[in-house]
Amino acid sequence: MEDITIKIGDYNTLQVDRIVDFGVYLDNGKNGILLPARWVPENTQKGDTITAFIYHDNEDRLIATTMTPKAVVGDIALLKVASITDFGAFLEWGVMKDVFIAKSQQVSDMEVGNSYLVKLYIDERSTRVAATERLDPFLSNHPLTVALGDEVDMIVYRKTEIGYTVIVNKLHKGMLYLNEIYQKINIGDTLKGFVKKVYDDGKLDVSIGKQGYQRVENETEKVLRLLTENNGVLPFNDKSEPTAIYDFFGMSKKTFKMTTGNLYKQKKIAFTEKGIELV
């Protein structure tokens, strides 16, 4: 038999080698990989091809499934902690087995039920799929594979004082500035955007949306728009919590106070006991 290269922790399209009572074996050039009966498409015959996700089961055997995992090897994804052990944690993977992240690969103090941004990779010693929170070694802006104006996929990585560091096309880091964000975003969110600026040192500025169609809106326009969209009344004023203001408006409390103060002077809004309203 000719060896067939199997991508562990990824999708493989393989031929049905034989059918048994408890499923079918997919041809890997050796003894075959079991696709349990519950995942076998109806009317499957010997010689058919099936695209299945391949991973190691709890007994270290390769197993196939047509379930959809939350991430494949090479992906960066937000995964929830299912359980914690003395050696690490298990993350919900979307298949019949959780993926392991060793303590040495954790940055956060992980807790059951919370989700963390991780990358899936093949552990060299065990050859199993594993996860790591240490993403920076996998990210580099030298060399760049993107150019000014390119459309890109982004994953929200870290929050900074000026915006969010995002992962660009799973390869690079870019900066998404607070004053250009007109929606609520969270760590782990996936966004579509474009490269807005490329610096000589390889750093990237990015924006959400498509180039030429991005929304250009200053703080004053934003407050007026949000008031209009909410029947002219909003429950925010200078007594509101800074986090509440940022979550809704995407701006600091200081900026909010300056903006609403100017709008009040222009007699476009009024302050009330409960917030602000259009005049």
Side-chain angles (χ1 to χ4, degrees):
M1 282 187 173
E2 182 182 347
D3 271 1
I4 297 172
T5 301
I6 299 297
K7 296 182 292 182
I8 299 172
D10 207 336
Y11 294 98
N12 296 255
T13 300
L14 302 172
Q15 194 172 57
V16 176
D17 180 57
R18 59 191 188 277
I19 299 175
V20 294
D21 291 341
F22 46 87
V24 303
Y25 279 92
L26 304 176
D27 185 13
N28 66 339
K30 298 178 182 177
N31 296 325
I33 299 173
L34 177 66
L35 175 64
R38 72 176 77 178
W39 312 124
V40 178
E42 191 175 354
N43 300 321
T44 293
Q45 304 292 322
K46 181 178 178 179
D48 289 352
T49 56
I50 295 177
T51 298
F53 181 73
I54 309 293
Y55 64 102
H56 286 97
D57 66 11
N58 290 327
E59 296 181 20
D60 207 27
R61 299 171 300 190
L62 286 181
I63 196 83
T65 182
T66 52
M67 294 179 73
T68 302
K70 295 179 179 177
V72 303
V73 167
D75 280 351
I76 296 170
L78 196 68
L79 299 183
K80 183 185 291 186
V81 176
S83 61
I84 292 177
T85 72
D86 291 338
F87 306 102
F90 286 93
L91 309 174
E92 294 180 7
W93 197 6
V95 294
M96 297 299 289
K97 181 187 175 185
D98 298 325
V99 65
F100 183 68
I101 178 169
K103 274 195 172 180
S104 61
Q105 296 300 321
Q106 296 176 22
V107 175
S108 308
D109 185 12
M110 290 190 169
E111 297 180 3
V112 173
N114 289 346
S115 298
Y116 302 89
L117 199 62
V118 299
K119 182 182 177 75
L120 298 192
Y121 68 102
I122 299 293
D123 180 72
E124 292 183 359
R125 287 183 295 178
S126 68
T127 69
R128 289 186 174 212
V129 180
T132 179
E133 237 190 327
R134 301 185 183 281
L135 305 184
D136 285 346
F138 296 97
L139 305 173
S140 175
N141 287 31
H142 303 283
L144 282 174
T145 62
V146 296
L148 183 66
D150 282 359
E151 292 187 12
V152 294
D153 294 314
M154 303 183 292
I155 302 172
V156 181
Y157 185 21
R158 293 190 186 115
K159 187 177 180 182
T160 73
E161 291 182 355
I162 59 174
Y164 289 88
T165 300
V166 298
I167 298 168
V168 177
N169 290 353
K170 303 180 186 178
L171 296 171
H172 311 306
K173 286 192 285 188
M175 177 55 63
L176 181 62
Y177 292 98
L178 286 177
N179 62 359
E180 296 180 359
I181 300 173
Y182 303 107
Q183 65 191 69
K184 185 175 180 179
I185 63 175
N186 299 295
I187 303 302
D189 283 354
T190 56
L191 306 168
K192 294 285 187 180
F194 65 94
V195 177
K196 181 182 176 184
K197 186 172 183 178
V198 179
Y199 294 89
D200 291 339
D201 61 0
K203 290 181 180 178
L204 300 173
D205 287 347
V206 293
S207 288
I208 298 172
K210 292 185 177 182
Q211 188 174 25
Y213 294 91
Q214 70 272 27
R215 187 168 199 158
V216 179
E217 183 179 46
N218 61 34
E219 287 81 0
T220 299
E221 292 168 340
K222 180 186 281 191
V223 171
L224 292 174
R225 172 177 61 81
L226 290 170
L227 276 165
T228 301
E229 292 174 358
N230 288 274
N231 299 316
V233 178
L234 287 173
F236 299 94
N237 54 32
D238 58 4
K239 296 179 182 178
S240 300
E241 290 294 324
T243 52
I245 290 173
Y246 177 77
D247 286 343
F248 189 82
F249 293 95
M251 65 181 71
S252 68
K253 184 171 181 177
K254 180 180 179 181
T255 300
F256 171 79
K257 289 173 67 175
M258 290 176 60
T259 303
T260 53
N262 287 332
L263 287 170
Y264 175 76
K265 291 176 183 177
Q266 296 170 27
K267 298 183 179 180
K268 292 184 177 181
I269 68 168
F271 292 109
T272 70
E273 291 184 2
K274 295 183 179 180
I276 55 176
E277 62 180 33
L278 281 174
V279 173

